[in-house]
Amino acid sequence: MHPTTWEKVDRYIEERLIPYDPVLEKALAANQQASLPPYDVTPGQGKLLHLFARMMGARRILEIGTLGGYSTIWLARALPQDGVLITLELEELHARVARANIASAQLEDKVDVRIGSALDQLAMLEAEGVEPFDLIFIDADKPNNPGYLQWALKLSRPGTVIIGDNVIREGEVTNKLTQDARVQGVQRFFELMSEESRIEATAIQTVGSKGYDGFSLGIVTG
């Protein structure tokens, strides 16, 4: 099936199930104007994250990888009045754009954008003694995915849902000879999930306007 069909189907779904949202559209436009990489989730994926958070009644969400805050807004909108979302971003420019987008969405009271290496920030969260998170979304640099998963488990509780984005890499995840550090990071991510007794997981392949990829979904069991 041709990729243009995937794009048409994405548009069909969006037109019927995802009403036009000026705040989200403004966020995407701001990201583009700031020349941020076009790595935002699609509207359909963003709403899927939103629904996951609502279905599980998430009160505390951790996002590893903010970019311009598009997925952050989708997730934060699912939180109850006393909910909180902590999102980690390496690049100061990305964080600055994200904060403006989050403020435009009137969610700044619920979202804490932290700047710096995610691995360092995760260690700081542990040192702060933060409460476990209900939902953790991993969508940052793929070579560090194994480390992010290990930290996600430390900052979780039984029942926490951990979602990993971009884990299929156009099928390259099956390439045992790959020299791509991003693919290698995802492969080790899968290996850790298979070895780790504290998480039960699966992964889904996806196609759409962003091409061929997929996400993993796991629940912490102990």
Side-chain angles (χ1 to χ4, degrees):
M1 192 170 292
H2 199 277
T4 56
T5 301
W6 305 344
E7 296 174 6
K8 289 179 182 177
V9 173
D10 263 1
R11 287 197 297 272
Y12 179 90
I13 293 169
E14 290 164 17
E15 289 169 359
R16 283 153 182 80
L17 301 180
I18 307 173
Y20 175 80
D21 190 313
V23 171
L24 289 168
E25 291 301 317
K26 181 181 177 182
L28 289 176
N31 294 354
Q32 184 176 21
Q33 186 175 6
S35 299
L36 269 58
Y39 298 155
D40 304 284
V41 300
T42 65
Q45 292 165 345
K47 189 164 186 180
L48 182 65
L49 291 171
H50 175 85
L51 292 176
F52 277 147
R54 285 179 60 187
M55 283 188 289
M56 63 180 302
R59 187 179 64 84
R60 292 179 54 77
I61 297 175
L62 173 63
E63 180 182 48
I64 304 174
T66 314
L67 194 59
Y70 182 74
S71 57
T72 316
I73 293 170
W74 273 112
L75 286 165
R77 281 178 167 179
L79 289 168
Q81 192 62 38
D82 64 343
V84 63
L85 186 155
I86 296 176
T87 183
L88 312 179
E89 175 54 48
L90 175 64
E91 302 292 341
E92 290 192 14
L93 171 61
H94 299 179
R96 186 162 64 249
V97 174
R99 282 175 172 153
N101 287 334
I102 291 162
S104 179
Q106 299 183 334
L107 292 166
E108 62 266 46
D109 291 342
K110 291 184 178 180
V111 179
D112 179 6
V113 181
R114 301 195 178 194
I115 306 172
S117 160
L119 292 175
D120 292 342
Q121 293 294 325
L122 290 163
M124 289 174 64
L125 287 173
E126 182 186 45
E128 292 171 17
V130 296
E131 293 180 43
F133 293 94
D134 305 310
L135 173 63
I136 300 174
F137 180 44
I138 301 173
D139 189 17
D141 55 310
K142 306 313 170 194
N144 280 320
N145 260 21
Y148 297 149
L149 177 59
Q150 291 169 331
W151 273 111
L153 289 167
K154 290 180 181 179
L155 297 170
S156 66
R157 56 164 178 79
T160 294
V161 169
I162 300 175
I163 301 172
D165 201 13
N166 308 124
V167 298
I168 302 302
R169 315 301 302 179
E170 296 188 338
E172 276 297 292
V173 69
T174 65
N175 183 358
K176 297 179 180 179
L177 302 179
T178 184
Q179 298 300 308
D180 188 325
R182 296 166 298 180
V183 177
Q184 291 173 340
V186 171
Q187 289 171 335
R188 183 58 184 148
F189 180 73
F190 271 102
E191 290 169 8
L192 284 174
M193 284 193 290
S194 70
E195 297 165 358
E196 178 55 66
S197 62
R198 291 174 294 170
I199 187 170
E200 189 166 340
T202 188
I204 298 295
Q205 301 178 76
T206 61
V207 296
S209 57
K210 293 293 181 72
Y212 171 37
D213 212 323
F215 64 90
S216 64
L217 179 68
I219 186 168
V220 177
T221 57

PDB file of all heavy atoms in Angstrom, residues 125-149:
ATOM      1  N   LEU A 125      15.202  13.659  39.970  1.00  0.00           N
ATOM      2  CA  LEU A 125      13.849  13.352  40.423  1.00  0.00           C
ATOM      3  C   LEU A 125      13.879  12.307  41.538  1.00  0.00           C
ATOM      4  O   LEU A 125      13.175  12.427  42.543  1.00  0.00           O
ATOM      5  CB  LEU A 125      13.000  12.837  39.256  1.00  0.00           C
ATOM      6  CG  LEU A 125      12.559  13.870  38.220  1.00  0.00           C
ATOM      7  CD1 LEU A 125      11.876  13.169  37.039  1.00  0.00           C
ATOM      8  CD2 LEU A 125      11.610  14.894  38.837  1.00  0.00           C
ATOM      9  N   GLU A 126      14.725  11.301  41.354  1.00  0.00           N
ATOM     10  CA  GLU A 126      14.845  10.280  42.397  1.00  0.00           C
ATOM     11  C   GLU A 126      15.383  10.898  43.684  1.00  0.00           C
ATOM     12  O   GLU A 126      14.889  10.603  44.780  1.00  0.00           O
ATOM     13  CB  GLU A 126      15.762   9.156  41.937  1.00  0.00           C
ATOM     14  CG  GLU A 126      15.876   8.034  42.961  1.00  0.00           C
ATOM     15  CD  GLU A 126      16.891   6.980  42.575  1.00  0.00           C
ATOM     16  OE1 GLU A 126      18.003   7.359  42.141  1.00  0.00           O
ATOM     17  OE2 GLU A 126      16.593   5.790  42.716  1.00  0.00           O
ATOM     18  N   ALA A 127      16.389  11.778  43.547  1.00  0.00           N
ATOM     19  CA  ALA A 127      16.973  12.421  44.728  1.00  0.00           C
ATOM     20  C   ALA A 127      15.954  13.294  45.447  1.00  0.00           C
ATOM     21  O   ALA A 127      16.000  13.440  46.677  1.00  0.00           O
ATOM     22  CB  ALA A 127      18.186  13.246  44.317  1.00  0.00           C
ATOM     23  N   GLU A 128      15.014  13.868  44.688  1.00  0.00           N
ATOM     24  CA  GLU A 128      13.964  14.696  45.284  1.00  0.00           C
ATOM     25  C   GLU A 128      12.918  13.861  46.012  1.00  0.00           C
ATOM     26  O   GLU A 128      12.098  14.405  46.760  1.00  0.00           O
ATOM     27  CB  GLU A 128      13.268  15.518  44.199  1.00  0.00           C
ATOM     28  CG  GLU A 128      14.135  16.599  43.572  1.00  0.00           C
ATOM     29  CD  GLU A 128      13.475  17.234  42.358  1.00  0.00           C
ATOM     30  OE1 GLU A 128      12.231  17.068  42.209  1.00  0.00           O
ATOM     31  OE2 GLU A 128      14.171  17.885  41.566  1.00  0.00           O
ATOM     32  N   GLY A 129      12.925  12.565  45.764  1.00  0.00           N
ATOM     33  CA  GLY A 129      11.939  11.704  46.399  1.00  0.00           C
ATOM     34  C   GLY A 129      10.539  11.891  45.848  1.00  0.00           C
ATOM     35  O   GLY A 129       9.559  11.828  46.603  1.00  0.00           O
ATOM     36  N   VAL A 130      10.422  12.104  44.532  1.00  0.00           N
ATOM     37  CA  VAL A 130       9.108  12.336  43.937  1.00  0.00           C
ATOM     38  C   VAL A 130       8.222  11.104  44.073  1.00  0.00           C
ATOM     39  O   VAL A 130       8.709   9.971  44.159  1.00  0.00           O
ATOM     40  CB  VAL A 130       9.223  12.713  42.445  1.00  0.00           C
ATOM     41  CG1 VAL A 130       9.948  14.027  42.259  1.00  0.00           C
ATOM     42  CG2 VAL A 130       9.898  11.602  41.653  1.00  0.00           C
ATOM     43  N   GLU A 131       6.924  11.343  44.086  1.00  0.00           N
ATOM     44  CA  GLU A 131       5.968  10.237  44.090  1.00  0.00           C
ATOM     45  C   GLU A 131       6.084   9.462  42.782  1.00  0.00           C
ATOM     46  O   GLU A 131       6.445  10.032  41.740  1.00  0.00           O
ATOM     47  CB  GLU A 131       4.540  10.763  44.203  1.00  0.00           C
ATOM     48  CG  GLU A 131       4.169  11.423  45.502  1.00  0.00           C
ATOM     49  CD  GLU A 131       2.724  11.910  45.474  1.00  0.00           C
ATOM     50  OE1 GLU A 131       1.853  11.145  44.987  1.00  0.00           O
ATOM     51  OE2 GLU A 131       2.479  13.049  45.893  1.00  0.00           O
ATOM     52  N   PRO A 132       5.766   8.185  42.797  1.00  0.00           N
ATOM     53  CA  PRO A 132       5.785   7.419  41.542  1.00  0.00           C
ATOM     54  C   PRO A 132       4.829   8.023  40.523  1.00  0.00           C
ATOM     55  O   PRO A 132       3.824   8.637  40.873  1.00  0.00           O
ATOM     56  CB  PRO A 132       5.322   6.025  41.976  1.00  0.00           C
ATOM     57  CG  PRO A 132       5.595   5.958  43.433  1.00  0.00           C
ATOM     58  CD  PRO A 132       5.397   7.349  43.957  1.00  0.00           C
ATOM     59  N   PHE A 133       5.153   7.835  39.261  1.00  0.00           N
ATOM     60  CA  PHE A 133       4.307   8.342  38.182  1.00  0.00           C
ATOM     61  C   PHE A 133       3.314   7.260  37.758  1.00  0.00           C
ATOM     62  O   PHE A 133       3.587   6.069  37.861  1.00  0.00           O
ATOM     63  CB  PHE A 133       5.163   8.774  36.993  1.00  0.00           C
ATOM     64  CG  PHE A 133       6.013   9.980  37.296  1.00  0.00           C
ATOM     65  CD1 PHE A 133       7.322   9.825  37.727  1.00  0.00           C
ATOM     66  CD2 PHE A 133       5.504  11.255  37.177  1.00  0.00           C
ATOM     67  CE1 PHE A 133       8.112  10.928  38.028  1.00  0.00           C
ATOM     68  CE2 PHE A 133       6.279  12.372  37.474  1.00  0.00           C
ATOM     69  CZ  PHE A 133       7.585  12.198  37.905  1.00  0.00           C
ATOM     70  N   ASP A 134       2.176   7.697  37.259  1.00  0.00           N
ATOM     71  CA  ASP A 134       1.145   6.780  36.785  1.00  0.00           C
ATOM     72  C   ASP A 134       1.348   6.415  35.316  1.00  0.00           C
ATOM     73  O   ASP A 134       1.027   5.303  34.901  1.00  0.00           O
ATOM     74  CB  ASP A 134      -0.241   7.419  36.944  1.00  0.00           C
ATOM     75  CG  ASP A 134      -0.495   7.879  38.368  1.00  0.00           C
ATOM     76  OD1 ASP A 134      -0.279   7.078  39.293  1.00  0.00           O
ATOM     77  OD2 ASP A 134      -0.891   9.056  38.554  1.00  0.00           O
ATOM     78  N   LEU A 135       1.861   7.370  34.550  1.00  0.00           N
ATOM     79  CA  LEU A 135       2.084   7.168  33.117  1.00  0.00           C
ATOM     80  C   LEU A 135       3.428   7.802  32.762  1.00  0.00           C
ATOM     81  O   LEU A 135       3.708   8.943  33.159  1.00  0.00           O
ATOM     82  CB  LEU A 135       0.964   7.824  32.301  1.00  0.00           C
ATOM     83  CG  LEU A 135       1.126   7.856  30.773  1.00  0.00           C
ATOM     84  CD1 LEU A 135       1.156   6.447  30.209  1.00  0.00           C
ATOM     85  CD2 LEU A 135       0.001   8.656  30.130  1.00  0.00           C
ATOM     86  N   ILE A 136       4.251   7.074  32.015  1.00  0.00           N
ATOM     87  CA  ILE A 136       5.559   7.575  31.586  1.00  0.00           C
ATOM     88  C   ILE A 136       5.656   7.412  30.074  1.00  0.00           C
ATOM     89  O   ILE A 136       5.476   6.304  29.549  1.00  0.00           O
ATOM     90  CB  ILE A 136       6.705   6.828  32.290  1.00  0.00           C
ATOM     91  CG1 ILE A 136       6.603   7.011  33.808  1.00  0.00           C
ATOM     92  CG2 ILE A 136       8.063   7.323  31.783  1.00  0.00           C
ATOM     93  CD1 ILE A 136       7.608   6.203  34.614  1.00  0.00           C
ATOM     94  N   PHE A 137       5.923   8.512  29.386  1.00  0.00           N
ATOM     95  CA  PHE A 137       6.030   8.518  27.926  1.00  0.00           C
ATOM     96  C   PHE A 137       7.479   8.787  27.545  1.00  0.00           C
ATOM     97  O   PHE A 137       8.021   9.851  27.847  1.00  0.00           O
ATOM     98  CB  PHE A 137       5.108   9.594  27.341  1.00  0.00           C
ATOM     99  CG  PHE A 137       5.132   9.682  25.836  1.00  0.00           C
ATOM    100  CD1 PHE A 137       5.102   8.555  25.045  1.00  0.00           C
ATOM    101  CD2 PHE A 137       5.178  10.927  25.207  1.00  0.00           C
ATOM    102  CE1 PHE A 137       5.118   8.638  23.650  1.00  0.00           C
ATOM    103  CE2 PHE A 137       5.187  11.029  23.827  1.00  0.00           C
ATOM    104  CZ  PHE A 137       5.153   9.887  23.048  1.00  0.00           C
ATOM    105  N   ILE A 138       8.109   7.826  26.884  1.00  0.00           N
ATOM    106  CA  ILE A 138       9.512   7.928  26.487  1.00  0.00           C
ATOM    107  C   ILE A 138       9.579   8.269  25.006  1.00  0.00           C
ATOM    108  O   ILE A 138       9.203   7.458  24.146  1.00  0.00           O
ATOM    109  CB  ILE A 138      10.264   6.611  26.768  1.00  0.00           C
ATOM    110  CG1 ILE A 138      10.182   6.255  28.258  1.00  0.00           C
ATOM    111  CG2 ILE A 138      11.712   6.714  26.314  1.00  0.00           C
ATOM    112  CD1 ILE A 138      10.757   4.885  28.593  1.00  0.00           C
ATOM    113  N   ASP A 139      10.047   9.460  24.692  1.00  0.00           N
ATOM    114  CA  ASP A 139      10.102   9.919  23.297  1.00  0.00           C
ATOM    115  C   ASP A 139      11.271  10.884  23.139  1.00  0.00           C
ATOM    116  O   ASP A 139      11.087  12.052  22.789  1.00  0.00           O
ATOM    117  CB  ASP A 139       8.790  10.586  22.903  1.00  0.00           C
ATOM    118  CG  ASP A 139       8.714  10.877  21.412  1.00  0.00           C
ATOM    119  OD1 ASP A 139       9.504  10.287  20.646  1.00  0.00           O
ATOM    120  OD2 ASP A 139       7.862  11.699  21.005  1.00  0.00           O
ATOM    121  N   ALA A 140      12.469  10.386  23.407  1.00  0.00           N
ATOM    122  CA  ALA A 140      13.669  11.230  23.325  1.00  0.00           C
ATOM    123  C   ALA A 140      14.722  10.523  22.462  1.00  0.00           C
ATOM    124  O   ALA A 140      14.365   9.727  21.585  1.00  0.00           O
ATOM    125  CB  ALA A 140      14.191  11.519  24.735  1.00  0.00           C
ATOM    126  N   ASP A 141      15.994  10.824  22.677  1.00  0.00           N
ATOM    127  CA  ASP A 141      17.059  10.229  21.876  1.00  0.00           C
ATOM    128  C   ASP A 141      17.094   8.716  22.102  1.00  0.00           C
ATOM    129  O   ASP A 141      17.183   8.241  23.224  1.00  0.00           O
ATOM    130  CB  ASP A 141      18.405  10.863  22.216  1.00  0.00           C
ATOM    131  CG  ASP A 141      18.718  10.779  23.705  1.00  0.00           C
ATOM    132  OD1 ASP A 141      17.859  11.161  24.516  1.00  0.00           O
ATOM    133  OD2 ASP A 141      19.820  10.306  24.041  1.00  0.00           O
ATOM    134  N   LYS A 142      17.038   7.969  21.010  1.00  0.00           N
ATOM    135  CA  LYS A 142      16.873   6.522  21.093  1.00  0.00           C
ATOM    136  C   LYS A 142      18.094   5.776  21.649  1.00  0.00           C
ATOM    137  O   LYS A 142      17.914   4.732  22.298  1.00  0.00           O
ATOM    138  CB  LYS A 142      16.492   5.952  19.725  1.00  0.00           C
ATOM    139  CG  LYS A 142      15.273   6.608  19.098  1.00  0.00           C
ATOM    140  CD  LYS A 142      14.114   6.746  20.076  1.00  0.00           C
ATOM    141  CE  LYS A 142      13.015   7.609  19.493  1.00  0.00           C
ATOM    142  NZ  LYS A 142      12.027   8.053  20.474  1.00  0.00           N
ATOM    143  N   PRO A 143      19.328   6.240  21.439  1.00  0.00           N
ATOM    144  CA  PRO A 143      20.448   5.506  22.038  1.00  0.00           C
ATOM    145  C   PRO A 143      20.350   5.374  23.546  1.00  0.00           C
ATOM    146  O   PRO A 143      20.872   4.409  24.120  1.00  0.00           O
ATOM    147  CB  PRO A 143      21.677   6.341  21.626  1.00  0.00           C
ATOM    148  CG  PRO A 143      21.272   6.977  20.346  1.00  0.00           C
ATOM    149  CD  PRO A 143      19.817   7.313  20.533  1.00  0.00           C
ATOM    150  N   ASN A 144      19.672   6.322  24.198  1.00  0.00           N
ATOM    151  CA  ASN A 144      19.537   6.278  25.657  1.00  0.00           C
ATOM    152  C   ASN A 144      18.252   5.601  26.116  1.00  0.00           C
ATOM    153  O   ASN A 144      17.949   5.593  27.321  1.00  0.00           O
ATOM    154  CB  ASN A 144      19.600   7.696  26.238  1.00  0.00           C
ATOM    155  CG  ASN A 144      21.033   8.202  26.352  1.00  0.00           C
ATOM    156  OD1 ASN A 144      21.929   7.446  26.722  1.00  0.00           O
ATOM    157  ND2 ASN A 144      21.243   9.461  26.022  1.00  0.00           N
ATOM    158  N   ASN A 145      17.489   5.012  25.198  1.00  0.00           N
ATOM    159  CA  ASN A 145      16.241   4.354  25.585  1.00  0.00           C
ATOM    160  C   ASN A 145      16.420   3.306  26.691  1.00  0.00           C
ATOM    161  O   ASN A 145      15.591   3.229  27.597  1.00  0.00           O
ATOM    162  CB  ASN A 145      15.572   3.715  24.374  1.00  0.00           C
ATOM    163  CG  ASN A 145      14.448   4.562  23.818  1.00  0.00           C
ATOM    164  OD1 ASN A 145      14.392   5.766  24.054  1.00  0.00           O
ATOM    165  ND2 ASN A 145      13.550   3.946  23.070  1.00  0.00           N
ATOM    166  N   PRO A 146      17.483   2.491  26.659  1.00  0.00           N
ATOM    167  CA  PRO A 146      17.646   1.515  27.744  1.00  0.00           C
ATOM    168  C   PRO A 146      17.743   2.192  29.114  1.00  0.00           C
ATOM    169  O   PRO A 146      17.127   1.743  30.086  1.00  0.00           O
ATOM    170  CB  PRO A 146      18.940   0.790  27.373  1.00  0.00           C
ATOM    171  CG  PRO A 146      19.038   0.926  25.893  1.00  0.00           C
ATOM    172  CD  PRO A 146      18.498   2.290  25.605  1.00  0.00           C
ATOM    173  N   GLY A 147      18.513   3.266  29.192  1.00  0.00           N
ATOM    174  CA  GLY A 147      18.632   4.000  30.451  1.00  0.00           C
ATOM    175  C   GLY A 147      17.322   4.624  30.868  1.00  0.00           C
ATOM    176  O   GLY A 147      16.973   4.632  32.061  1.00  0.00           O
ATOM    177  N   TYR A 148      16.566   5.130  29.898  1.00  0.00           N
ATOM    178  CA  TYR A 148      15.272   5.730  30.220  1.00  0.00           C
ATOM    179  C   TYR A 148      14.312   4.685  30.780  1.00  0.00           C
ATOM    180  O   TYR A 148      13.544   4.969  31.713  1.00  0.00           O
ATOM    181  CB  TYR A 148      14.663   6.391  28.989  1.00  0.00           C
ATOM    182  CG  TYR A 148      15.477   7.542  28.438  1.00  0.00           C
ATOM    183  CD1 TYR A 148      15.486   7.838  27.079  1.00  0.00           C
ATOM    184  CD2 TYR A 148      16.248   8.336  29.281  1.00  0.00           C
ATOM    185  CE1 TYR A 148      16.223   8.895  26.569  1.00  0.00           C
ATOM    186  CE2 TYR A 148      17.001   9.393  28.780  1.00  0.00           C
ATOM    187  CZ  TYR A 148      16.989   9.660  27.424  1.00  0.00           C
ATOM    188  OH  TYR A 148      17.738  10.699  26.925  1.00  0.00           O
ATOM    189  N   LEU A 149      14.351   3.491  30.221  1.00  0.00           N
ATOM    190  CA  LEU A 149      13.480   2.436  30.729  1.00  0.00           C
ATOM    191  C   LEU A 149      13.861   2.057  32.159  1.00  0.00           C
ATOM    192  O   LEU A 149      12.986   1.884  33.023  1.00  0.00           O
ATOM    193  CB  LEU A 149      13.557   1.209  29.829  1.00  0.00           C
ATOM    194  CG  LEU A 149      12.744  -0.009  30.289  1.00  0.00           C
ATOM    195  CD1 LEU A 149      11.264   0.342  30.414  1.00  0.00           C
ATOM    196  CD2 LEU A 149      12.948  -1.184  29.350  1.00  0.00           C
TER     197      LEU A 149
END
